[in-house]
Amino acid sequence: MTQSSDAAKVSQETLGRPAPPCAMVIFGAGGDLTKRKLFPALYNLAKGKLLPQEFAIIGVSREQFSSDDFRQRTSQEIRQYLTGDVEQASWDQFVKRLYYIPGDFKDPELYKKLGETLGQVEQEQNTQGNRLFYLATSPTFFPIVVKQLGAAKLTEEQNGKWKRVVIEKPFGHDLESAVALNHEIGQVLAENQVYRIDHYLGKETVQNILAFRFANGIFEPVWNRRYVDHVQVTVAEELGVELRGDYYEHAGALRDMVPNHIFQLITLTAMEPPISFDAQAVHDEQTKILRAIQPLNPERVLDHAVRGQYGEGVIDGKPVQGYRSEVNVDQASSTETFVALALNIDNWRWAGVPFYLRTGKRLATRSTEIVIRFRRPPFVLFRKTSVEKIAPNELVINIQPNEGISLSFEAKIPGPIVRLGAVNMDFQYSDYFGTTPSTGYETLLYDCMMGDPTLFQRADMVEASWTIVQPILDLWKALPPRDFPNYAAGSWGPEQALELLRREGREWHDPTQKSLSLKKAAEGMSVLGTSI
Ligand code: BG6
């Protein structure tokens, strides 16, 4: 595809103005999230001139060290986690704004000290009283930190100075705990001070779903039950549970991925056009979709929800162990590492169109994609030829790793005999816009400083999401799995997940299929085509 110079030019322009002056407090400053994502993202923002000159970061965690130690340690770690290069001059500027306070999150003394440090930092760095508190801690600390911040009066908004709190996932463990957490937070903060983060919304391709749908006239008319046969969302990971067994044993694939990341993908794909791109308008439409997804009753859970756990297998040609042999995992664990669901959205646009979703660890490849499969043409016109049936058109929104969008359609294979094969129209992000080093957190942090909550989750969205998964959690708890492990690492999950679609005459899109089709096309054959 040739590059559109307009599109390429936009990517090179500086987009956006610097965020307003503020101090950012990171609780959990010694943790993985801070070093892997937050610091690289903040540095990328600084380099892109999107952070204000009047900016400071105060790290808070249990480890005892000084601000100088913190600066040194961060200077070493950044090189390890940044995808691009560290420019010494801009890093020197950045590191001057780092401060550190050790302490116990439960201890009121910590918050007293934090108040004093904020006062000092506000003087030294002129951050003007705006404060962003980032809770990069274990979820058990969310209500504790928020309560203490409130008690120390650190979150009161006065004289137009904002105070915002960013909360990481998991937001609750089930419906009841999510409602309780929202309630506890609501005792201290107004809803517009709370930024519930879902890092999927920081991904460019996820944001592009809205641009794709609502900035192009040609797709919207076919984006409904008349033309769409079904929708698939796949979030496949090649990695296993790594060293997160402790957390994952209590979470499982359903809690870890579905009510958050996958539901974000589904709501953006399925929602009605909002009346504007204001946060409230977008959130209202997303919430309507969540409310229109019918929670499965127990009988339907049995045949519309599939769970799985990986056993040993082979990934990239290397043998890997099963889930039950991973660190901090029970040898008889019944935690699911795979889930597939068939859901229905009961509204005017989508009635009768199944939304299939699946996610799992240790699957055949890493791929996150949304597939819109359209209905077949009403009849096969190519009579007296070898063409018997025609493959449906398919639109694939590839979120990662190869960000792009492709549309497959039938074409005549050259030659005197009428033969059809599916070909792809492909858009690859990198062809047009190159690649920019990004952790996915840049946009989210910037938006929070700018006071734009569109890409964050509102309290009612979180609760609506848990409402959908709760009956599945309940039934799975009541009926522990008897067949775990039931898929081999490196496969596409348990057989029942394939059956979920097969019994309805459908099949999962294979994310590896494209390269195969291109290879075959080069050999002059069609593999996607059904009828040669
Ligand atoms: C996290 C989950 O929220 O998302 C992880 O807790 C998962 O288990 C990760 O691996 C996937 O994110 P990404 O950006 O790699 O698709």
Side-chain angles (χ1 to χ4, degrees), residues 37 55 72 77 117 157 164 169 188 196 235 261 275 293 317 354 371 409 451 463 473-474 486 518 521:
K37 303 285 182 186
F55 182 70
Q72 260 182 24
E77 283 166 355
T117 310
E157 295 194 319
R164 298 180 186 134
K169 81 172 252 281
V188 177
R196 295 174 193 81
V235 181
H261 307 326
I275 55 164
I293 297 178
V371 178
F409 59 94
E463 290 174 20
L473 293 172
D474 291 342
N486 60 352
L518 288 180

Side-chain angles (χ1 to χ4, degrees), residues 169 199-200 203 235 237 244 247-248 256-257 261 361 366 368 400:
K169 81 172 252 281
H199 81 274
Y200 261 59
K203 294 182 194 284
V235 181
E237 297 188 79
R244 296 167 72 224
Y247 153 76
Y248 202 83
D256 189 42
M257 300 297 286
H261 307 326
K361 300 221 176 263
R366 174 174 182 244
T368 297
Q400 58 189 21

Side-chain angles (χ1 to χ4, degrees), residues 262-273:
I262 295 190
F263 281 180
Q264 293 294 343
L265 300 180
I266 289 184
T267 55
L268 295 177
T269 306
M271 73 187 204
E272 293 301 309

Side-chain angles (χ1 to χ4, degrees), residues 502-530:
R502 210 181 280 142
R503 68 178 185 225
E504 295 176 358
R506 301 179 172 114
E507 60 181 20
W508 290 103
H509 177 252
D510 178 355
T512 58
Q513 189 186 48
K514 200 180 124 208
S515 44
L516 186 66
S517 81
L518 288 180
K519 189 163 158 270
K520 295 282 183 178
E523 291 163 7
M525 297 167 58
S526 163
V527 286
L528 295 180
T530 41

Side-chain angles (χ1 to χ4, degrees), residues 84-111:
D85 289 336
V86 181
E87 272 173 17
Q88 200 54 45
S90 53
W91 179 253
D92 290 346
Q93 280 304 315
F94 184 84
V95 89
K96 275 192 213 150
R97 303 160 183 197
L98 299 190
Y99 298 78
Y100 183 81
I101 321 178
D104 176 353
F105 298 153
K106 292 189 188 135
D107 181 3
E109 275 304 306
L110 170 67
Y111 299 83

